[in-house]
Amino acid sequence: MSSQGLNSLATIIKRLEAATSRLEDLAVVQSGGALSFPEATAARPASTIISQRPTSPPPQAKAGSIASEAAPDAVPASIAAYDERIINGKLSVFLEQTKGLGQAKLEEQAKLVASLFQKTRSVLLCATACMKPSDTDFAALMAPIHATFNAVTKIKDESRSNREWSLHFQTISDGAGCVGWVQAPSSPAEAVKEQKEAAEFYANRVISTYKEKDKKHVDWARSYIALIEELRKYVLEYHKMGLIWNPKGGKATEFSLESVGGAPGKSSAPLPPPPPPPPPPLIETTPPPASSGGAALTGTAAVFAQLNQGMDITKGLRKVEKSEMTHKNPSLRVSSTVPARSPSPSPTSKQPPKPKKPVSLQAKKPPKKELQGGKWIVEHYENDKEIVLDDVSISQVVALYGCKNCVVQVKGKINGVTMTNCQKTSIVIDSTISVISITNCQSFQLQILGTAPTIQIETTDFGQVFLSETCLGAEIITAKCSAINISIPTGSEGDFSEKPVPEMLRTVIQDGKLVSSIVEHSG
């Protein structure tokens, strides 16, 4: 071998040694520990593989040190999500927005709402650690929540005369009942959604009132609705069919917060350190010979071996001749066969909708009247003129569904009333503090003996509303309705004057805006 060849070989060996040393340094930095290599007296071969020494176990902590203390009990995933998304998330934003408005009474009501969510968290913790209690024990567990909710409602009632802030108090009060989902036997997310819609009614009025005046009020209303919506999503994810109890837990009457992790967001000891990083992959500077008789590489080593082949990786591909190219030979396309269609239809194929069974042929569902959480359910009654609800409270709502040719009487002041899909049904109400909603009903009658702030009627035909003298200030909102009449008292002898709700509107364009007015017929 010539001297020039020897010099080139020595230069190559020196460069390989420098590259190997550099790779060793990089491996040490990535793994945080020492890497061992065989001591070599001669030049290392170009196919040297870096291998990592097994990492030694971490040293034992001394007695009395922080690391040796027992880690706190892990908070259940559902509680951790509640803390992150509700307590430390949307609730915190809502409290900051309320504080920014600078109204002391409203801030006091918002703090009571925060207390409701904290007490609900305690119930959730109890459910993760305890068996389902009896109705009496569960009522005792819910007593603090009911007391706080009554305090929220009391502030709203005391602030009715404050016209500037009355919509704010009403918004909080109507949405505070969302925490009652823990009492719903099924579909608790729907209960949260109903409370959200009740709060949205007044929140939208706050937004429309202050949209051009003060953006703080708009952000405040939206933050409260976002809080209830986040609660609905949480319930739908973790308690879709109702509050989940621990069948192997203890008794709810013996439950204490200290036994399951304490207050949200706090722990008595620091969290353990994260696990060490994974070891670096094996690095191979040259690919093994393809004709080697040894065992084939597998795993990461095989991947790097393929990548290090460079342009040679495509040597195994076969070149397609022009005679085999379909775009150059139309005859190949003509002779090709189309695969037969699978006998089973594709899941994405459109199918005609299944016709609904006529109402006359549908099976009748049994009538039901029961209290579910904070809602009275009255449904599927027919030809019953003596349905009476006399054990109601101000925190409860009444929901009528699918009743036909019935008379329902609600005695006492309640939160709100909804009537859906009813025919020839009459309802008599003493007083409500929220909305009376009538949707998709035919030939209904509504009589209010006391007061009601709002009456909302949608997609309904033929309705009669009788107002009392103390209810003349109520707002009546109609949409997609026909033949709706309002009867107003005219004297002390029980006479009423019937006024029809306008159905025909005339709309014109003035200064680029739509202006609507009622069409009146004369003569």
Side-chain angles (χ1 to χ4, degrees), residues 363-371 376-389 398-409 419-426:
K364 292 185 178 181
K365 297 183 179 180
K368 179 172 66 174
K369 182 181 71 171
E370 64 180 6
L371 178 62
W376 279 98
I377 303 296
V378 181
E379 59 184 12
H380 306 306
Y381 275 87
E382 289 188 11
N383 303 319
D384 193 339
K385 306 292 185 179
E386 298 181 355
I387 304 175
V388 180
L389 300 177
V398 176
L400 277 68
Y401 180 84
C403 295
K404 184 176 181 181
N405 196 21
C406 296
V407 177
V408 181
Q409 186 174 0
M419 185 165 66
T420 309
N421 292 340
C422 295
Q423 298 181 12
K424 298 182 179 180
T425 299
S426 303

Side-chain angles (χ1 to χ4, degrees), residues 123-376:
V123 176
L124 296 180
L125 274 172
C126 179
T128 61
C130 304
M131 296 184 294
K132 185 175 181 180
S134 62
D135 293 343
T136 304
D137 294 339
F138 188 58
L141 188 65
M142 293 293 297
I145 294 180
H146 287 299
T148 307
F149 177 79
N150 291 335
V152 173
T153 306
K154 183 178 179 182
I155 292 179
K156 184 260 299 181
D157 293 337
E158 293 175 350
S159 306
R160 286 185 180 276
S161 59
N162 190 344
R163 295 186 177 181
E164 182 180 0
W165 297 94
S166 61
L167 292 177
H168 299 70
F169 291 116
Q170 187 74 44
T171 300
I172 293 181
S173 177
D174 282 8
C178 63
V179 298
W181 68 268
V182 294
Q183 294 180 286
S186 61
S187 302
E190 288 298 321
V192 179
K193 182 181 178 182
E194 291 178 3
Q195 294 298 323
K196 174 195 169 187
E197 292 174 351
E200 274 183 334
F201 179 79
Y202 289 96
N204 291 336
R205 294 177 64 180
V206 172
I207 293 174
S208 62
T209 302
Y210 291 93
K211 182 168 55 177
E212 306 294 338
K213 298 179 182 179
D214 192 347
K215 194 174 182 294
K216 290 182 178 179
H217 295 263
V218 177
D219 295 339
W220 173 87
R222 288 174 177 169
S223 67
Y224 188 56
I225 298 302
L227 169 62
I228 305 177
E229 174 62 19
E230 188 65 28
L231 176 64
R232 187 191 69 82
K233 294 179 181 178
Y234 167 82
V235 172
L236 197 60
E237 181 175 352
Y238 290 96
H239 303 277
K240 186 175 182 180
M241 301 307 296
L243 182 60
I244 300 175
W245 295 85
N246 187 352
K248 299 181 180 180
K251 295 182 179 180
T253 54
E254 302 174 357
F255 169 77
S256 63
L257 288 178
E258 289 76 8
S259 62
V260 287
K266 298 181 181 179
S267 60
S268 57
L271 294 175
L282 298 177
I283 304 176
E284 189 172 300
T285 57
T286 57
S291 60
S292 175
L297 295 176
T298 59
T300 309
V303 174
F304 278 97
Q306 291 289 329
L307 294 178
N308 289 331
Q309 291 182 19
M311 297 300 296
D312 294 339
I313 197 172
T314 61
K315 286 184 177 180
L317 300 178
R318 184 178 67 87
K319 184 177 180 181
V320 180
E321 301 295 336
K322 290 185 178 181
S323 59
E324 299 174 340
M325 299 179 182
T326 56
H327 66 283
K328 292 183 177 293
N329 298 275
S331 58
L332 295 178
R333 296 197 299 269
V334 173
S335 61
S336 62
T337 58
V338 179
R341 184 177 179 180
S342 175
S344 60
S346 173
T348 58
S349 61
K350 293 185 178 179
Q351 298 180 358
K354 190 174 181 179
K356 294 183 179 180
K357 184 181 292 186
V359 179
S360 58
L361 300 179
Q362 293 179 1
K364 292 185 178 181
K365 297 183 179 180
K368 179 172 66 174
K369 182 181 71 171
E370 64 180 6
L371 178 62
Q372 296 181 0
K375 179 192 292 186
W376 279 98

Side-chain angles (χ1 to χ4, degrees), residues 35-82:
L35 299 177
S36 63
F37 297 88
E39 297 293 341
T41 57
R44 298 176 186 265
S47 60
T48 301
I49 297 179
I50 299 177
S51 61
Q52 185 178 12
R53 178 186 297 169
T55 57
S56 59
Q60 298 293 332
K62 296 181 179 180
S65 64
I66 295 178
S68 65
E69 295 179 3
D73 293 339
V75 178
S78 60
I79 304 301
Y82 186 85

Side-chain angles (χ1 to χ4, degrees), residues 429-502:
I429 303 171
D430 284 358
S431 293
T432 65
I433 60 175
S434 184
V435 184
I436 299 175
S437 177
I438 300 174
T439 306
N440 197 22
C441 295
Q442 304 295 325
S443 301
F444 76 92
Q445 287 188 348
L446 168 65
Q447 183 174 3
I448 303 173
L449 304 178
T451 60
T454 306
I455 302 172
Q456 184 175 333
I457 307 173
E458 299 181 8
T459 321
T460 298
D461 298 328
F462 304 103
Q464 192 80 24
V465 179
F466 297 89
L467 302 178
S468 65
E469 294 183 356
T470 58
C471 194
L472 297 181
E475 293 183 347
I476 302 174
I477 302 172
T478 60
K480 300 173 67 176
C481 297
S482 63
I484 305 298
N485 297 317
I486 310 298
S487 296
I488 303 172
T490 57
S492 59
E493 299 181 357
D495 296 332
F496 287 88
S497 175
E498 188 177 87
K499 304 293 183 181
V501 175

